[in-house]
């Protein structure tokens, strides 16, 4: 026997309405893979790796003998960053309504550059407003430590010197690092693509989540 409780029916109805709204919005935006994703993959530089119902995305490419991975999570879209501007005296400048209604999404990225028998660089950065802001650059003689998430790998990383904060480096070294990354196509174009792709994937996953929850509640 199936029981239908009042709250269940109400929730199922609201979920169905939200599903309908999201699907109509998706149809207006255009179904299928958006043009910006097609253009990105058509360039043949980066390969996009992601799975349905997972929030992690990896962009992978080869550069000479290097294997480069840029990993990020669409979960960062849940925490938009407030962009504050200040005058010469350090007082915050009031923002207009357009600025506050369009939050800037800062997507944290884990960048690894692996060379055979040479180890790996692990770079923590944030893709925001068409640029990468590097936080830290670490070197691992054992390249697996740059990517493995196992308890053993985590234990081995403990106590290792991971390098200084990026903004503590000499300005000339910072600029050279930025050129090093840009030469590997880790620059403005990629920093603009990542938040846009994350937003598109998050919208797809959200609609699927609504459908799964609706199916469960209605069962």
């Amino acid at each position: 026997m199936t029981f239908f409780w009042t709250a269940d029916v109400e929730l199922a109805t609201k979920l169905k309405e939200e599903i309908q709204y999201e699907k109509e919005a998706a149809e207006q935006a255009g179904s299928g893979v958006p043009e910006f994703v097609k253009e990105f993959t058509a360039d043949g530089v980066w390969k996009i790796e992601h799975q349905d119902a997972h929030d992690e995305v990896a962009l992978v490419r080869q550069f000479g003998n290097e294997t480069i991975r840029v990993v990020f999570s669409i979960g960062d879209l849940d925490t938009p960053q407030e962009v504050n501007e200040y005058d010469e005296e350090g007082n915050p400048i009031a923002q207009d309504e357009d600025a506050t209604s369009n939050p800037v999404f800062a997507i944290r990225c884990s960048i690894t550059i692996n060379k055979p028998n040479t180890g790996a660089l692990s770079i923590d950065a944030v893709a925001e407003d068409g640029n990468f802001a590097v936080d830290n650059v670490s070197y691992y003689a054992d390249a697996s430590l740059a990517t493995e998430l196992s308890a053993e790998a985590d234990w081995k990383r403990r106590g290792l010197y991971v390098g200084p904060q990026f903004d503590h480096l000499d300005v000339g070294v910072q600029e050279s690092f930025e050129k090093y990354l840009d030469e590997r196509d880790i620059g403005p174009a990629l920093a603009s693509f990542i938040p846009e792709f994350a937003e598109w994937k998050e919208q797809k996953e959200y609609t699927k989540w609504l459908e799964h929850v609706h199916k469960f509640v209605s069962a």
Side-chain angles (χ1 to χ4, degrees):
M1 174 180 278
T2 302
F3 295 93
F4 295 97
W5 308 108
T6 303
D8 297 46
V9 174
E10 180 181 346
L11 177 57
T13 300
K14 292 297 182 182
L15 288 169
K16 188 174 182 179
E17 290 174 357
E18 183 69 6
I19 292 168
Q20 185 63 30
Y21 172 81
E22 292 298 333
K23 287 186 174 181
E24 289 176 358
E27 288 178 1
Q28 292 178 0
S31 59
V33 179
E35 198 62 33
F36 80 92
V37 176
K38 293 179 180 178
E39 292 175 359
F40 181 82
T41 54
D43 288 341
V45 176
W46 295 95
K47 177 183 177 183
I48 305 174
E49 296 180 351
H50 69 105
Q51 299 178 27
D52 290 343
H54 288 71
D55 69 355
E56 188 173 275
V57 180
L59 306 178
V60 185
R61 69 160 300 186
Q62 295 295 133
F63 184 80
N65 67 338
E66 300 173 354
T67 299
I68 303 175
R69 292 175 63 85
V70 179
V71 180
F72 60 93
S73 169
I74 63 174
D76 282 354
L77 292 175
D78 289 333
T79 54
Q81 304 295 309
E82 292 185 4
V83 179
N84 296 318
E85 296 182 354
Y86 300 87
D87 60 23
E88 295 179 354
E89 297 179 355
N91 299 314
I93 300 173
Q95 298 181 356
D96 56 31
E97 291 185 2
D98 289 339
T100 56
S101 61
N102 294 288
V104 175
F105 294 107
I107 307 295
R108 297 203 63 83
C109 301
S110 176
I111 304 166
T112 57
I113 303 175
N114 189 326
K115 286 184 179 181
N117 305 314
T118 313
L121 289 180
S122 177
I123 302 165
D124 296 322
V126 176
E128 181 180 11
D129 199 24
N131 288 290
F132 280 106
V134 177
D135 291 332
N136 178 261
V137 179
S138 302
Y139 167 74
Y140 295 102
D142 181 352
S144 66
L145 295 182
T147 55
E148 285 189 10
L149 300 177
S150 65
E152 181 181 359
D154 184 56
W155 176 259
K156 289 181 179 180
R157 281 190 291 266
R158 293 183 183 183
L160 292 178
Y161 177 68
V162 295
Q165 286 295 303
F166 189 75
D167 58 5
H168 291 177
L169 292 170
D170 177 83
V171 173
V173 176
Q174 292 183 45
E175 293 175 348
S176 295
F177 253 120
E178 290 166 355
K179 291 177 182 177
Y180 174 86
L181 294 175
D182 194 57
E183 190 172 46
R184 287 156 175 76
D185 289 292
I186 305 173
L190 190 65
S192 297
F193 172 81
I194 287 173
E196 192 173 9
F197 184 86
E199 189 172 7
W200 172 69
K201 177 173 169 60
E202 196 278 337
Q203 198 62 38
K204 287 181 58 183
E205 297 298 345
Y206 174 58
T207 301
K208 291 176 184 175
W209 176 85
L210 287 170
E211 292 174 336
H212 291 316
V213 175
H214 176 265
K215 182 178 180 180
F216 176 84
V217 172
S218 301

